[in-house]
Amino acid sequence: MLILDKGTAPEDVAGSVWTELLAEDLVRYEATLEEALEPQREYLSEAEYTVYRRGKRLRPAVLLLAARMVHGPAPLPAKVLQGAVSLEMLHVATLIHDDVVDDSMLRRGMPSVNAARGPGTAVIVGDLQFVQAVRGFVDAIDHDRDMALVKLVLDSAFDTCRGELDELHTDLSQDPAALVNRYWQTADRKTAVLFGLAAESGVVLADGRSSDARRAGFYGRGFGRAFQVMDDLFDLARAEAASGKPCGVDLLRGRASLPLIYAMAELGPGHLVSRVMRGELDGPSALARAVAQVRAGGGFARAYADARTQALDALEFLRPFPDNPYRRALHDLALHVVDRSP
């Protein structure tokens, strides 16, 4: 079992997984990533390499842990490492596109690709990562059974794009129940789908059983749901120095995150929070007061409870797997997502 402190950041937890359980895989992962990036080398700048270097690598860690959960400690097939790299490339593509959509100049406290290259070039560079990711998954296939994985990857990429569009076009005038349903649909598409792909494809590429792959995918999607809700909570609770972005970005941009939906329902349409969400009030003072009121309300705690429920539900899908260090690491990671401090 990994020894995780509640204040440990998720990237540090992933780092512990890599160094304690996946040390040999890390060497192969980095070599495979370098090989995958080589065809793009003349088109990439330091900004893109920084995204890869400073990334949490949480999704490839989940993929490799899921693979090892069924494969054991023996050396993994090369296709598993290829899948892990391709998954990270898919994730990096979404980050680059996110920063263009948000007109974000920073990514984890460093200049974003959008800032360094401009939005036009950033979009194309993001597209390169998407295409190379799919090519990598195709290259990982070595028998007919893996063919279904290609469709799963394409479906996941399609859902990710839909989730990003869903987030941009939420009607805040809907009733709270409809907004909550819309939120979970968006979270499933925007975040949970890639964690589900990570866990499911890890089992598939390790030649595990189809039933085990499906169970792992359910674990990953529950993990991803919890991760997204916690990310929404940290948007309201984490200082800019820790997150690399201003506090309350979702509120400022009128994005219906789960704690904000609950806060609007609790406080009413005429409250400061609802008015800031609708764009009727702006400025640092109004934003700061609205953030403080959301954090003090019952909706903030309710959203946290939902995140924890999702994580605990995800753990149920790990029960049929053998009790080994890799399953225990997946168990610990899911709990840590909801136990960590802002």
Side-chain angles (χ1 to χ4, degrees):
M1 180 175 291
L2 297 174
I3 300 174
L4 305 178
D5 183 86
K6 287 189 178 183
T8 307
E11 58 270 30
D12 295 334
V13 174
S16 297
V17 168
W18 286 106
T19 56
E20 294 181 29
L21 287 178
L22 303 175
E24 294 181 8
D25 296 329
L26 177 59
V27 176
R28 297 176 66 195
Y29 171 87
E30 291 181 338
T32 305
L33 177 60
E34 285 295 317
E35 184 179 347
L37 290 174
E38 183 58 35
Q40 304 181 42
R41 190 165 299 279
E42 66 178 293
Y43 304 109
L44 300 182
S45 70
E46 184 62 23
E48 290 81 49
Y49 287 111
T50 297
V51 176
Y52 280 106
R53 290 191 202 106
R54 292 173 62 88
K56 302 169 188 175
R57 294 188 298 197
L58 189 55
R59 291 154 190 81
V62 169
L63 187 153
L64 291 169
L65 287 172
R68 286 208 167 277
M69 183 168 62
V70 299
H71 184 79
L76 289 169
K79 63 181 179 177
V80 180
L81 280 301
Q82 181 66 60
V85 164
S86 297
L87 180 66
E88 183 68 353
M89 298 187 86
L90 194 59
H91 176 55
V92 166
T94 68
L95 297 181
I96 293 172
H97 286 163
D98 280 351
D99 289 338
V100 173
V101 171
D102 294 342
D103 195 24
S104 176
M105 296 295 106
L106 293 175
R107 164 61 57 183
R108 299 183 60 77
M110 299 289 288
S112 66
V113 176
N114 179 52
R117 308 289 299 272
T121 300
V123 167
I124 298 173
V125 170
D127 290 346
L128 269 179
Q129 309 317 301
F130 260 120
V131 173
Q132 185 68 355
V134 175
R135 291 175 70 193
F137 274 110
V138 171
D139 289 343
I141 291 172
D142 64 0
H143 51 65
D144 291 344
R145 180 174 171 271
D146 291 340
M147 280 301 299
L149 179 60
V150 176
K151 186 173 188 306
L152 178 62
V153 171
L154 293 172
D155 288 346
S156 299
F158 181 68
D159 278 345
T160 300
C161 294
R162 288 200 294 170
E164 294 290 350
L165 288 169
D166 290 343
E167 186 177 53
L168 292 174
H169 299 291
T170 299
D171 181 1
L172 295 176
S173 68
Q174 291 180 308
D175 66 79
L179 284 173
V180 169
N181 288 336
R182 172 82 170 190
Y183 171 84
W184 287 121
Q185 174 184 280
T186 302
D188 285 343
R189 292 172 173 175
K190 178 174 176 279
T191 303
V193 67
L194 287 189
F195 281 107
L197 175 62
E200 185 168 350
S201 64
V203 174
V204 170
L205 291 169
D207 298 324
R209 296 180 300 182
S210 298
S211 57
D212 284 340
R214 286 193 296 273
R215 274 192 286 268
F218 284 124
Y219 160 82
R221 286 187 282 278
F223 181 107
R225 277 187 160 204
F227 187 93
Q228 181 59 60
V229 177
M230 294 304 298
D231 199 48
D232 296 340
L233 292 169
F234 288 150
D235 175 68
L236 297 160
R238 182 174 281 171
E240 182 173 355
S243 65
K245 64 180 182 178
C247 186
V249 169
D250 290 339
L251 182 56
L252 181 64
R253 291 180 174 151
R255 291 190 176 172
S257 70
L258 194 61
L260 293 177
I261 293 169
Y262 287 157
M264 288 189 294
E266 177 187 8
L267 299 172
H271 192 273
L272 171 67
V273 171
S274 297
R275 295 178 67 192
V276 172
M277 281 289 287
R278 294 194 300 266
E280 296 172 4
L281 294 173
D282 57 17
S285 176
L287 179 62
R289 285 187 291 127
V291 167
Q293 288 167 3
V294 173
R295 291 177 61 178
F300 195 85
R302 183 181 174 190
Y304 173 74
D306 285 352
R308 191 164 185 83
T309 296
Q310 293 296 327
L312 293 175
D313 287 349
L315 297 182
E316 292 301 309
F317 293 101
L318 294 179
R319 288 185 181 275
F321 290 99
D323 183 14
N324 58 35
Y326 312 107
R327 192 191 85 170
R328 292 194 291 272
L330 289 170
H331 178 281
D332 290 354
L333 279 173
L335 288 182
H336 184 76
V337 162
V338 293
D339 284 342
R340 57 198 167 102
S341 302

Tab-separated table of all heavy atoms in Angstrom, residues 53-89:
chain	number	residue	atom	x	y	z
A	53	ARG	N	6.314	17.388	-19.792
A	53	ARG	CA	7.216	17.199	-18.650
A	53	ARG	C	6.528	17.481	-17.320
A	53	ARG	O	6.791	16.811	-16.322
A	53	ARG	CB	8.436	18.124	-18.783
A	53	ARG	CG	9.403	17.769	-19.897
A	53	ARG	CD	10.684	18.569	-19.759
A	53	ARG	NE	11.394	18.648	-21.023
A	53	ARG	CZ	11.461	19.733	-21.794
A	53	ARG	NH1	10.868	20.853	-21.393
A	53	ARG	NH2	12.113	19.711	-22.928
A	54	ARG	N	5.683	18.517	-17.300
A	54	ARG	CA	5.070	18.940	-16.040
A	54	ARG	C	3.717	18.289	-15.790
A	54	ARG	O	3.056	18.590	-14.802
A	54	ARG	CB	4.921	20.468	-16.037
A	54	ARG	CG	6.247	21.202	-15.974
A	54	ARG	CD	6.043	22.701	-16.146
A	54	ARG	NE	5.230	23.272	-15.098
A	54	ARG	CZ	5.699	23.725	-13.934
A	54	ARG	NH1	6.987	23.650	-13.675
A	54	ARG	NH2	4.888	24.257	-13.031
A	55	GLY	N	3.295	17.410	-16.679
A	55	GLY	CA	1.997	16.763	-16.518
A	55	GLY	C	1.971	15.811	-15.331
A	55	GLY	O	3.010	15.312	-14.879
A	56	LYS	N	0.779	15.548	-14.849
A	56	LYS	CA	0.616	14.646	-13.699
A	56	LYS	C	0.885	13.189	-14.075
A	56	LYS	O	1.215	12.377	-13.223
A	56	LYS	CB	-0.816	14.764	-13.151
A	56	LYS	CG	-1.201	16.166	-12.733
A	56	LYS	CD	-2.703	16.240	-12.455
A	56	LYS	CE	-3.159	17.663	-12.224
A	56	LYS	NZ	-4.626	17.754	-12.067
A	57	ARG	N	0.653	12.848	-15.353
A	57	ARG	CA	0.796	11.467	-15.840
A	57	ARG	C	-0.083	10.511	-15.027
A	57	ARG	O	0.255	9.337	-14.841
A	57	ARG	CB	2.260	11.022	-15.811
A	57	ARG	CG	3.140	11.779	-16.763
A	57	ARG	CD	4.535	11.223	-16.867
A	57	ARG	NE	5.254	11.278	-15.618
A	57	ARG	CZ	6.572	11.160	-15.502
A	57	ARG	NH1	7.301	10.967	-16.586
A	57	ARG	NH2	7.154	11.215	-14.338
A	58	LEU	N	-1.209	11.026	-14.573
A	58	LEU	CA	-2.105	10.211	-13.757
A	58	LEU	C	-2.841	9.182	-14.601
A	58	LEU	O	-3.012	8.024	-14.188
A	58	LEU	CB	-3.094	11.123	-13.032
A	58	LEU	CG	-3.976	10.503	-11.961
A	58	LEU	CD1	-3.137	9.784	-10.904
A	58	LEU	CD2	-4.844	11.573	-11.311
A	59	ARG	N	-3.274	9.574	-15.786
A	59	ARG	CA	-4.009	8.646	-16.656
A	59	ARG	C	-3.133	7.484	-17.120
A	59	ARG	O	-3.577	6.329	-17.044
A	59	ARG	CB	-4.640	9.415	-17.813
A	59	ARG	CG	-5.782	10.317	-17.356
A	59	ARG	CD	-6.018	11.502	-18.276
A	59	ARG	NE	-6.946	12.461	-17.694
A	59	ARG	CZ	-6.593	13.385	-16.789
A	59	ARG	NH1	-5.337	13.478	-16.385
A	59	ARG	NH2	-7.492	14.207	-16.286
A	60	PRO	N	-1.916	7.729	-17.616
A	60	PRO	CA	-1.073	6.572	-17.949
A	60	PRO	C	-0.725	5.722	-16.737
A	60	PRO	O	-0.566	4.501	-16.864
A	60	PRO	CB	0.178	7.198	-18.583
A	60	PRO	CG	0.133	8.640	-18.266
A	60	PRO	CD	-1.292	8.995	-18.074
A	61	ALA	N	-0.624	6.339	-15.555
A	61	ALA	CA	-0.370	5.545	-14.352
A	61	ALA	C	-1.542	4.605	-14.078
A	61	ALA	O	-1.349	3.425	-13.735
A	61	ALA	CB	-0.124	6.460	-13.153
A	62	VAL	N	-2.771	5.115	-14.228
A	62	VAL	CA	-3.953	4.264	-14.039
A	62	VAL	C	-3.956	3.131	-15.063
A	62	VAL	O	-4.251	1.979	-14.735
A	62	VAL	CB	-5.240	5.107	-14.142
A	62	VAL	CG1	-6.475	4.205	-14.229
A	62	VAL	CG2	-5.367	6.042	-12.932
A	63	LEU	N	-3.627	3.445	-16.317
A	63	LEU	CA	-3.584	2.409	-17.357
A	63	LEU	C	-2.587	1.312	-16.990
A	63	LEU	O	-2.900	0.113	-17.074
A	63	LEU	CB	-3.223	3.044	-18.706
A	63	LEU	CG	-3.287	2.134	-19.938
A	63	LEU	CD1	-3.574	2.970	-21.204
A	63	LEU	CD2	-1.993	1.347	-20.153
A	64	LEU	N	-1.383	1.706	-16.579
A	64	LEU	CA	-0.355	0.718	-16.283
A	64	LEU	C	-0.681	-0.085	-15.021
A	64	LEU	O	-0.418	-1.289	-14.953
A	64	LEU	CB	1.005	1.406	-16.150
A	64	LEU	CG	1.553	1.969	-17.463
A	64	LEU	CD1	2.757	2.868	-17.204
A	64	LEU	CD2	1.945	0.835	-18.415
A	65	LEU	N	-1.270	0.579	-14.027
A	65	LEU	CA	-1.672	-0.157	-12.825
A	65	LEU	C	-2.770	-1.174	-13.149
A	65	LEU	O	-2.751	-2.298	-12.636
A	65	LEU	CB	-2.159	0.816	-11.753
A	65	LEU	CG	-1.092	1.656	-11.052
A	65	LEU	CD1	-1.750	2.700	-10.159
A	65	LEU	CD2	-0.140	0.785	-10.238
A	66	ALA	N	-3.726	-0.774	-13.992
A	66	ALA	CA	-4.779	-1.708	-14.389
A	66	ALA	C	-4.192	-2.884	-15.164
A	66	ALA	O	-4.599	-4.046	-14.967
A	66	ALA	CB	-5.829	-0.986	-15.232
A	67	ALA	N	-3.243	-2.603	-16.034
A	67	ALA	CA	-2.591	-3.677	-16.786
A	67	ALA	C	-1.860	-4.633	-15.841
A	67	ALA	O	-1.988	-5.862	-15.945
A	67	ALA	CB	-1.622	-3.085	-17.808
A	68	ARG	N	-1.124	-4.072	-14.918
A	68	ARG	CA	-0.348	-4.910	-14.001
A	68	ARG	C	-1.246	-5.637	-12.998
A	68	ARG	O	-0.875	-6.703	-12.488
A	68	ARG	CB	0.697	-4.067	-13.279
A	68	ARG	CG	1.865	-3.681	-14.186
A	68	ARG	CD	3.139	-3.465	-13.402
A	68	ARG	NE	4.305	-3.396	-14.289
A	68	ARG	CZ	4.948	-4.449	-14.768
A	68	ARG	NH1	4.514	-5.672	-14.473
A	68	ARG	NH2	6.003	-4.304	-15.549
A	69	MET	N	-2.412	-5.083	-12.723
A	69	MET	CA	-3.352	-5.740	-11.819
A	69	MET	C	-3.726	-7.130	-12.340
A	69	MET	O	-3.939	-8.056	-11.565
A	69	MET	CB	-4.594	-4.858	-11.660
A	69	MET	CG	-5.632	-5.380	-10.702
A	69	MET	SD	-6.883	-4.140	-10.314
A	69	MET	CE	-7.600	-3.847	-11.964
A	70	VAL	N	-3.785	-7.274	-13.676
A	70	VAL	CA	-4.125	-8.579	-14.256
A	70	VAL	C	-2.900	-9.315	-14.791
A	70	VAL	O	-2.932	-10.536	-14.949
A	70	VAL	CB	-5.176	-8.437	-15.381
A	70	VAL	CG1	-6.459	-7.850	-14.827
A	70	VAL	CG2	-4.668	-7.588	-16.543
A	71	HIS	N	-1.808	-8.573	-15.052
A	71	HIS	CA	-0.616	-9.168	-15.662
A	71	HIS	C	0.420	-9.575	-14.623
A	71	HIS	O	1.171	-10.532	-14.832
A	71	HIS	CB	0.009	-8.173	-16.641
A	71	HIS	CG	1.181	-8.693	-17.399
A	71	HIS	ND1	1.048	-9.517	-18.493
A	71	HIS	CD2	2.523	-8.513	-17.221
A	71	HIS	CE1	2.260	-9.809	-18.970
A	71	HIS	NE2	3.171	-9.219	-18.212
A	72	GLY	N	0.461	-8.851	-13.507
A	72	GLY	CA	1.462	-9.132	-12.493
A	72	GLY	C	2.755	-8.383	-12.728
A	72	GLY	O	2.846	-7.508	-13.591
A	73	PRO	N	3.812	-8.720	-11.977
A	73	PRO	CA	5.064	-7.948	-12.022
A	73	PRO	C	5.988	-8.261	-13.196
A	73	PRO	O	6.991	-7.573	-13.379
A	73	PRO	CB	5.743	-8.328	-10.701
A	73	PRO	CG	5.237	-9.709	-10.413
A	73	PRO	CD	3.820	-9.745	-10.921
A	74	ALA	N	5.687	-9.273	-13.986
A	74	ALA	CA	6.544	-9.598	-15.138
A	74	ALA	C	6.528	-8.441	-16.138
A	74	ALA	O	5.605	-7.631	-16.150
A	74	ALA	CB	6.049	-10.882	-15.802
A	75	PRO	N	7.566	-8.328	-16.986
A	75	PRO	CA	7.607	-7.229	-17.958
A	75	PRO	C	6.335	-7.164	-18.807
A	75	PRO	O	5.835	-8.186	-19.276
A	75	PRO	CB	8.826	-7.572	-18.811
A	75	PRO	CG	9.714	-8.344	-17.892
A	75	PRO	CD	8.788	-9.154	-17.031
A	76	LEU	N	5.819	-5.966	-18.980
A	76	LEU	CA	4.597	-5.758	-19.749
A	76	LEU	C	4.885	-5.826	-21.243
A	76	LEU	O	5.976	-5.447	-21.693
A	76	LEU	CB	3.990	-4.398	-19.428
A	76	LEU	CG	3.351	-4.230	-18.053
A	76	LEU	CD1	3.050	-2.760	-17.792
A	76	LEU	CD2	2.074	-5.056	-17.949
A	77	PRO	N	3.920	-6.273	-22.040
A	77	PRO	CA	4.081	-6.189	-23.497
A	77	PRO	C	4.292	-4.735	-23.922
A	77	PRO	O	3.759	-3.802	-23.307
A	77	PRO	CB	2.750	-6.733	-24.030
A	77	PRO	CG	2.174	-7.545	-22.928
A	77	PRO	CD	2.633	-6.893	-21.653
A	78	ALA	N	5.037	-4.546	-24.988
A	78	ALA	CA	5.333	-3.189	-25.464
A	78	ALA	C	4.066	-2.416	-25.791
A	78	ALA	O	4.014	-1.185	-25.637
A	78	ALA	CB	6.255	-3.265	-26.687
A	79	LYS	N	3.020	-3.126	-26.218
A	79	LYS	CA	1.794	-2.430	-26.605
A	79	LYS	C	1.139	-1.718	-25.428
A	79	LYS	O	0.429	-0.728	-25.615
A	79	LYS	CB	0.812	-3.401	-27.261
A	79	LYS	CG	0.319	-4.520	-26.355
A	79	LYS	CD	-0.639	-5.447	-27.099
A	79	LYS	CE	-1.132	-6.584	-26.219
A	79	LYS	NZ	-2.120	-7.429	-26.915
A	80	VAL	N	1.368	-2.205	-24.193
A	80	VAL	CA	0.800	-1.548	-23.020
A	80	VAL	C	1.454	-0.179	-22.826
A	80	VAL	O	0.780	0.821	-22.563
A	80	VAL	CB	0.972	-2.412	-21.762
A	80	VAL	CG1	0.366	-1.708	-20.554
A	80	VAL	CG2	0.334	-3.782	-21.956
A	81	LEU	N	2.767	-0.123	-22.974
A	81	LEU	CA	3.463	1.158	-22.851
A	81	LEU	C	3.051	2.099	-23.969
A	81	LEU	O	2.895	3.311	-23.758
A	81	LEU	CB	4.983	0.940	-22.870
A	81	LEU	CG	5.649	0.484	-21.569
A	81	LEU	CD1	5.399	1.488	-20.447
A	81	LEU	CD2	5.211	-0.903	-21.142
A	82	GLN	N	2.861	1.556	-25.168
A	82	GLN	CA	2.397	2.376	-26.281
A	82	GLN	C	1.019	2.958	-25.980
A	82	GLN	O	0.746	4.123	-26.268
A	82	GLN	CB	2.342	1.534	-27.560
A	82	GLN	CG	1.900	2.299	-28.799
A	82	GLN	CD	2.897	3.362	-29.205
A	82	GLN	OE1	4.049	3.053	-29.492
A	82	GLN	NE2	2.481	4.619	-29.215
A	83	GLY	N	0.155	2.155	-25.406
A	83	GLY	CA	-1.169	2.641	-25.036
A	83	GLY	C	-1.092	3.739	-23.993
A	83	GLY	O	-1.845	4.726	-24.055
A	84	ALA	N	-0.218	3.585	-22.996
A	84	ALA	CA	-0.082	4.590	-21.944
A	84	ALA	C	0.388	5.923	-22.518
A	84	ALA	O	-0.115	6.994	-22.157
A	84	ALA	CB	0.899	4.096	-20.879
A	85	VAL	N	1.342	5.877	-23.424
A	85	VAL	CA	1.839	7.099	-24.072
A	85	VAL	C	0.744	7.734	-24.923
A	85	VAL	O	0.538	8.957	-24.891
A	85	VAL	CB	3.087	6.784	-24.919
A	85	VAL	CG1	3.395	7.923	-25.894
A	85	VAL	CG2	4.281	6.527	-24.002
A	86	SER	N	0.028	6.917	-25.669
A	86	SER	CA	-1.029	7.442	-26.538
A	86	SER	C	-2.130	8.102	-25.712
A	86	SER	O	-2.682	9.137	-26.102
A	86	SER	CB	-1.608	6.317	-27.398
A	86	SER	OG	-0.615	5.786	-28.247
A	87	LEU	N	-2.444	7.513	-24.579
A	87	LEU	CA	-3.457	8.102	-23.709
A	87	LEU	C	-3.013	9.473	-23.205
A	87	LEU	O	-3.803	10.420	-23.165
A	87	LEU	CB	-3.728	7.169	-22.532
A	87	LEU	CG	-4.767	7.659	-21.532
A	87	LEU	CD1	-6.144	7.731	-22.179
A	87	LEU	CD2	-4.806	6.743	-20.317
A	88	GLU	N	-1.743	9.590	-22.824
A	88	GLU	CA	-1.250	10.886	-22.358
A	88	GLU	C	-1.268	11.912	-23.487
A	88	GLU	O	-1.574	13.092	-23.265
A	88	GLU	CB	0.167	10.740	-21.791
A	88	GLU	CG	0.749	12.019	-21.217
A	88	GLU	CD	0.064	12.504	-19.940
A	88	GLU	OE1	-0.971	11.936	-19.536
A	88	GLU	OE2	0.578	13.466	-19.347
A	89	MET	N	-0.979	11.487	-24.711
A	89	MET	CA	-1.040	12.404	-25.847
A	89	MET	C	-2.472	12.883	-26.083
A	89	MET	O	-2.705	14.056	-26.389
A	89	MET	CB	-0.485	11.734	-27.104
A	89	MET	CG	0.971	11.343	-26.985
A	89	MET	SD	1.669	10.731	-28.539
A	89	MET	CE	2.163	12.259	-29.285
